[in-house]
């Protein structure tokens, strides 16, 4: 089922229907557009999706995101990142990243769930939320197969 859902996200026509949440495979670059008409039950549509297999610098991501983007969207990279001077350091410091730029005017909270292996269930993981105009970053020191982002809501912070 998970493989089907991952394939479904990457192969269905865009934009997708508005929904409370979707699942994304590791190695993805995608943009979602939020429908905030009900701030407690925000839905979103995937408006862009493409494979992304580059290994990025964990701490230097300014060049990943275009300077301007569509208001009301969030751009994501779910990929591998690393840092260090030598190849040995870079290999040691590899980790899974969810990096994003919030192009909305809202501070958002949401639920993120990860699947570490294809056959595992999804388990909830902490996140820092998304702040207006800011680049956010979540990191895990272990492999993750898929991530589910759901139940966005406008934060009062």
């Amino acid at each position: 089922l998970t493989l089907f859902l991952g394939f479904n996200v990457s192969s269905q026509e865009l934009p997708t229907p508005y929904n409370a949440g979707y699942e994304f495979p590791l190695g993805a670059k995608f943009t979602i557009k939020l429908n905030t008409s009900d701030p407690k039950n925000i839905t979103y549509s995937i408006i862009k999706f493409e494979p992304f297999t580059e290994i990025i610098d964990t701490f230097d991501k300014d060049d990943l995101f275009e300077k301007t983007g569509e208001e009301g969207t969030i751009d994501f990279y779910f990929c591998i990142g690393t840092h260090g001077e030598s190849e040995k350091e870079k290999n040691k410091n590899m980790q899974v990243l969810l990096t994003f730029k919030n192009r909305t005017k809202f501070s958002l909270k949401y639920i993120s769930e990860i699947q570490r292996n294809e056959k595992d269930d999804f388990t909830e993981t902490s996140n820092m939320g998304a702040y207006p105009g800011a680049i956010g970053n979540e990191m895990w020191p272990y492999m993750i197969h898929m991530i589910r982002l759901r139940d966005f809501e406008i934060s009062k912070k």
Side-chain angles (χ1 to χ4, degrees):
L1 179 62
T2 301
L3 181 59
F4 171 73
L5 291 173
F7 177 74
N8 195 18
V9 166
S10 62
S11 67
Q12 67 181 256
E13 283 192 39
L14 300 178
T16 62
Y18 281 89
N19 200 335
Y22 284 96
E23 298 167 4
F24 303 93
L26 182 63
K29 174 183 173 183
F30 55 98
T31 300
I32 65 172
K33 183 172 180 83
L34 301 180
N35 174 357
T36 58
S37 59
D38 179 353
K40 291 285 187 191
N41 295 300
I42 294 172
T43 57
Y44 69 88
S45 171
I46 304 165
I47 61 171
K48 294 180 187 172
F49 183 94
E50 63 185 81
F52 184 82
T53 58
E54 293 176 39
I55 296 174
I56 65 172
D57 186 298
T58 304
F59 302 111
D60 182 17
K61 296 177 287 303
D62 293 336
D63 294 338
L64 281 179
F65 300 99
E66 294 180 23
K67 298 272 186 244
T68 59
E70 185 180 345
E71 169 64 33
T73 64
I74 306 174
D75 298 325
F76 289 90
Y77 289 83
F78 183 44
C79 61
I80 303 292
T82 191
H83 61 279
E85 297 298 319
S86 68
E87 284 304 310
K88 184 177 179 180
E89 277 183 289
K90 288 179 181 180
N91 285 336
K92 179 183 169 210
N93 295 325
M94 289 223 186
Q95 55 196 139
V96 174
L97 301 176
L98 178 68
T99 300
F100 54 91
K101 183 163 187 175
N102 181 359
R103 298 183 188 280
T104 76
K105 59 184 178 184
F106 303 110
S107 289
L108 300 162
K109 56 185 181 176
Y110 59 93
I111 295 173
S112 51
E113 299 169 315
I114 57 174
Q115 182 188 44
R116 294 193 57 190
N117 295 299
E118 272 187 64
K119 295 182 180 5
D120 290 349
D121 291 332
F122 279 82
T123 56
E124 193 168 326
T125 185
S126 62
N127 67 59
M128 62 182 222
Y131 298 93
I135 294 175
N137 199 43
E138 304 289 346
M139 298 183 243
W140 297 271
Y142 42 79
M143 186 52 79
I144 297 172
H145 179 68
M146 300 272 287
I147 191 163
R148 179 185 296 147
L149 304 174
R150 66 177 178 87
D151 299 336
F152 281 77
E153 112 180 27
I154 295 173
S155 176
K156 303 228 187 303
K157 291 182 190 180

